[in-house]
Amino acid sequence: MRRLTRTVATAALATALALVSACSSGSDSSDAKGGDGKALEKVTYLTSFGNFGRDSYAWVAKEKGFFKDAGFDVEIKAGQGTGGVIQTVVGGQADFGPIDLTGGLLQLGNGQAKDFVAVAAIQQRTMAGIATLEGKNIASPKDLEGKKLADTPGSVVRNLFPTYARLAGVDASKVTWVNGEAQALIGTLASGSVDGIGQFVVGQPTIEAVAKKKAVMLPYSNVMQDLYGNVLITSSKIAKEKPEMVKRFTAALLKGLEYSLANSKEAADILKKNIDATNPASAAAELELMAAYVRSGNSGTALGTLDSGRVAKSIAILQGAGALKQNITPEQIIDFSLAPKA
């Protein structure tokens, strides 16, 4: 009888352990699988420049499950501008990130970077520009002479400034640049330490919220037409070895972008949930301003499209301004086989 009791008890314990194990295993498996039931692929994504409203679409793609449905477990890290994003992606510390296409052309055409490709457009027009505040006596590009500006060393605003200055009639040698971190730039401007900062023009609401003053924006697009804004890049290695993965990730990210533009307040709240320093009102306003740059008359019906002819025009502008040391072609920086079709 005692033997029977021990046998029954042992069997019951084994069954209970098996059930616990099965439940635990099932839960972990569910969390680690995408919409197709396959294990999620870990991906590291860099934002373009800190964590502002303009970059919230990546957090939205994660929060709404767009990345997971596409088969990805995505870690989002703050980028530090075009040069930093390129270096980190090419170096293998990140898989994807947005850079300003013009900044990428400058890096590639001057031998400062290689082994990266753009696979989708985020904005159809450049948002690069200089931001200042009322009272700084800066109302036009010429007023920048004799002033001190701050930006990260790898920012497209800073790297493109000599070309902008030349085309806008500014003596670049009379403008002083100092280094700053992406998230600290607006505070630096508000404190009065500098006269202006490199900034995307959609940052105006955030600048005004922090500085409590009206911002004055000098968009580069006023003197340089046909330049794209941010584009999504990956390493040449990933593009070559995992083209279908790149397409799936791009589609999920662009889905987050589209959702964010249509639901700016919700997107801002999602950013606030993940980045505590976020000002939701400013973040939403940035997205609303950015909408006009993401879609334009020549962007086609789909988000993310890239046109070889327009990229060639951008290259010609830079070459005409003497900003490129090497001749380059659109195909050297963009993998059109991976980009969304119009």
Side-chain angles (χ1 to χ4, degrees), residues 126-140:
T126 184
M127 301 194 304
I130 303 294
T132 184
L133 299 171
E134 277 194 342
K136 294 289 187 180
N137 298 318
I138 301 175
S140 69

Side-chain angles (χ1 to χ4, degrees), residues 170-185:
V170 177
D171 185 346
S173 68
K174 295 181 180 179
V175 180
T176 301
W177 284 92
V178 297
N179 294 337
E181 293 296 317
Q183 291 290 146
L185 285 175

Side-chain angles (χ1 to χ4, degrees), residues 112-182:
Q112 297 168 328
K114 60 179 181 178
D115 299 329
F116 69 94
V117 290
V119 295
I122 303 299
Q123 293 112 21
Q124 294 289 323
R125 291 187 293 133
T126 184
M127 301 194 304
I130 303 294
T132 184
L133 299 171
E134 277 194 342
K136 294 289 187 180
N137 298 318
I138 301 175
S140 69
K142 190 70 175 175
D143 297 330
L144 294 172
E145 293 181 0
K147 301 298 193 297
K148 181 165 68 173
L149 309 178
D151 204 348
T152 61
S155 166
V156 65
V157 175
R158 189 165 175 176
N159 290 333
L160 188 54
F161 183 75
T163 303
Y164 168 76
R166 190 176 295 113
L167 295 174
V170 177
D171 185 346
S173 68
K174 295 181 180 179
V175 180
T176 301
W177 284 92
V178 297
N179 294 337
E181 293 296 317

Side-chain angles (χ1 to χ4, degrees), residues 41-45 71-76 94-96 245 249:
E41 182 173 359
K42 291 187 179 297
V43 165
T44 299
Y45 172 88
F72 300 106
D73 175 11
V74 180
E75 180 182 11
I76 302 173
D95 303 289
F96 296 93
M245 181 273 265
F249 182 87

